[in-house]
C-alpha cells in the first residue's frame, strides 16, 4: 500500500511492476540483471482518487498517461532493483500529490488609469523624439 496523504492511499492491486534490463553503465551487471522498473498505476479505475484529482493527474502526467487510463513511470537511475522500485513509487506519489493540490484560479486584472496614461505619454514622447530625427 502506497500512502499519498491522510485521505489518499493507493492499494497494491492498482500498481503493477515490470522489470527490464537497464541501459547505460553497470558493467557485467547490465547484461544479466533486470534492474530497470516500469511502474504502472491504473489511475482511471482507482476508487481512491476523486474525479478532479484524476483530471489534474492526466494533465500533469502528459506522455506518461496511456490510452487506457494508466500512468507509466520508468526508472533506471541506479544499478539496484529495490532502489529503482523505491524511486518509481516516490515519483508516482509526488505526481499524485501535485494533482491533489488545487491550483488557485487566476483573476484577470485591468491596468489602472494612471498606468495607461503614463504608457501613452511615454509613447507620445518617444514619437516626438523620433520625429525630430527626420529631415525637415
Amino acid at each position: 500500500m502506497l500512502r499519498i496523504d491522510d485521505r489518499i492511499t493507493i492499494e497494491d492491486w492498482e500498481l503493477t511492476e515490470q522489470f527490464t534490463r537497464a541501459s547505460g553503465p553497470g558493467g557485467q551487471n547490465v547484461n544479466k540483471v533486470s534492474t530497470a522498473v516500469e511502474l504502472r498505476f491504473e489511475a482511471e479505475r482507482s476508487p481512491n482518487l476523486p474525479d478532479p484529482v484524476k483530471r489534474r493527474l492526466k494533465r500533469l502526467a502528459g506522455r506518461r498517461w496511456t490510452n487506457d487510463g494508466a500512468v507509466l513511470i520508468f526508472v533506471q537511475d541506479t544499478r539496484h532493483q529495490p532502489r529503482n522500485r523505491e524511486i518509481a513509487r516516490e515519483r508516482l506519489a509526488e505526481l499524485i500529490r501535485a494533482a491533489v493540490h488545487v491550483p488557485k484560479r487566476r483573476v484577470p486584472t485591468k491596468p489602472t488609469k494612471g498606468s495607461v496614461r503614463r504608457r501613452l505619454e511615454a509613447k507620445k514622447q518617444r514619437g516626438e523624439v523620433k520625429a525630430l530625427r527626420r529631415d525637415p
Side-chain angles (χ1 to χ4, degrees), residues 43-44 52-67 69 71 99:
E44 197 68 50
V53 174
K54 286 179 187 177
R55 284 195 300 272
R56 285 192 294 270
L57 180 63
K58 182 176 182 178
R59 188 172 39 82
L60 287 172
R63 286 183 12 213
R64 294 176 288 191
W65 187 273
T66 63
N67 289 335
V71 177

Side-chain angles (χ1 to χ4, degrees), residues 68-124:
D68 56 329
V71 177
L72 286 179
I73 296 179
F74 185 76
V75 178
Q76 59 178 3
D77 294 357
T78 67
R79 290 172 48 181
H80 305 286
Q81 190 184 78
R83 182 66 187 129
N84 281 339
R85 287 179 72 189
E86 243 178 72
I87 293 170
R89 286 172 174 258
E90 287 169 10
R91 286 185 188 170
L92 177 65
E94 284 302 313
L95 192 64
I96 295 172
R97 279 190 203 103
V100 167
H101 174 71
V102 179
K104 206 167 95 174
R105 199 173 139 261
R106 182 186 176 278
V107 179
T109 57
K110 290 171 77 173
T112 61
K113 283 186 178 178
S115 67
V116 171
R117 184 180 46 75
R118 285 190 297 273
R119 182 180 62 86
L120 293 176
E121 283 176 9
K123 282 171 69 94
K124 200 174 288 183

